[in-house]
Each structure stands twice: as structure tokens, then as C-alpha cells.
Amino acid sequence: MTEIPLEKITVKVLGKDLILDPLNMKFDEMTLSEYMTNEFSYFDFYGKQLEYATKELALAELKYETAFNEKYIEAKDLGGSDNYAKAKAQCNLEVIEAHKEMIEQRTTVGFIKSYLKAWDKNHANAQSRANTLRKELEKLNNDIYKSNYNDAIG
């Protein structure tokens, strides 16, 4: 099976770099217990970062809408038609920059949501693996206890 690429993504939240690293979700039979114990802190942290990023997105949307409306009204006040005023506002550099910022914030929110969704799926995988391991251990323990019991009475 070919190796699936793991891509670290860095986004900005509250002016700080936030690294979305899929290796944080890695576990095996030896690290499963530690993983299950610590995963809540990752989920909590990234959930909070999503809220901060969502707030930043809302502020970016407000900034864009405000800039667009200001330029639209200016063009309308000069006697332009609706289509002219809209085109004039959309071409304004301040409006374009605000729109780029809004798109960047949307992307950040999308990346964090995807990352949290991956954590949720990984949690289900960890629980499933833990259940499988428990069943394997129960089966092994039964075989051991049965052979020890038979040896003792036989």
C-alpha cells in the first residue's frame, strides 16, 4: 500500500502560528493508552482555536462589507448606476484587500474544522482498536487460565 502523505498546515489565529499536524493523531498498541488519555487536550485546544478563527472570520466579513458599502455609496453619490457603483466598489484596492483577508480567514476556519473532524474520526479508530485489543487479551487470558486450571486438577 502506498504511503499517504501527511501534511502539516500552519494557519494564523490571533496573530500566532497554529500548526495542524496529523502526526499528533498517531498511535499504536504501545501508545494507545497515553493517546486516549491526552487526546482531549488537543481537541479542547483546537476547538478553542476554531472559535477564535470564526470570530476573526466574522470581523473580516464585517470589514469587507463595510469597505464595499462605503465605496458603493461613494460611486452612487456621484450619480453612477447600481452596476457601475458595484463594479467601482469591487475594483477598489481597499475592498480587494478586505476580500482577500476574508478568504484567508475562511480557509483558516476550514482547515481547523477539517483537522477537528480528523481528530473525531481518529478517536473512533482509537476506541475501536482499544476494544479489539481488550477482546484479544480476554481471549488470551482465558486460554492461559484454562490451561493453568487443567494443569492444576489434572
Side-chain angles (χ1 to χ4, degrees):
M1 189 169 168
T2 59
E3 188 73 23
I4 297 174
L6 297 175
E7 181 182 8
K8 281 185 190 179
I9 295 175
T10 303
V11 295
K12 290 268 189 207
V13 177
L14 299 177
K16 298 177 187 171
D17 285 346
L18 177 67
I19 299 170
L20 308 176
D21 187 357
L23 287 177
N24 290 335
M25 295 180 234
K26 190 173 182 177
F27 66 87
D28 58 26
E29 286 82 4
M30 299 301 292
T31 61
L32 180 60
S33 180
E34 181 182 350
Y35 172 83
M36 294 292 283
T37 301
N38 295 327
E39 77 171 339
F40 79 92
S41 59
Y42 283 102
F43 211 90
D44 178 61
F45 174 75
Y46 287 105
K48 289 174 184 170
Q49 299 308 304
L50 176 59
E51 286 304 312
Y52 295 139
T54 302
K55 178 183 176 183
E56 289 182 323
L57 172 58
L59 293 172
E61 288 172 341
L62 178 64
K63 181 178 177 181
Y64 166 73
E65 290 169 8
T66 301
F68 177 86
N69 290 335
E70 284 176 355
K71 299 306 175 186
Y72 182 89
I73 289 170
E74 285 176 14
K76 282 298 283 180
D77 287 347
L78 294 173
S81 68
D82 288 347
N83 286 337
Y84 174 80
K86 181 179 178 183
K88 189 78 169 160
Q90 287 174 332
C91 293
N92 181 275
L93 292 178
E94 181 185 338
V95 173
I96 290 170
E97 287 305 312
H99 197 242
K100 284 180 184 178
E101 184 181 328
M102 185 178 70
I103 291 168
E104 191 64 34
Q105 290 302 323
R106 263 196 203 128
T107 303
T108 296
V109 168
F111 280 142
I112 297 171
K113 282 182 177 179
S114 294
Y115 192 63
L116 284 170
K117 188 174 183 179
W119 270 101
D120 191 41
K121 296 283 185 187
N122 205 55
H123 175 75
N125 289 340
Q127 284 184 316
S128 175
R129 185 66 189 133
N131 287 336
T132 302
L133 285 171
R134 189 180 71 247
K135 287 177 185 176
E136 288 173 0
L137 287 173
E138 286 173 1
K139 190 170 186 171
L140 286 173
N141 283 340
N142 280 339
D143 291 345
I144 291 169
Y145 290 135
K146 283 181 186 174
S147 67
N148 287 343
Y149 178 74
N150 289 336
D151 291 344
I153 59 171

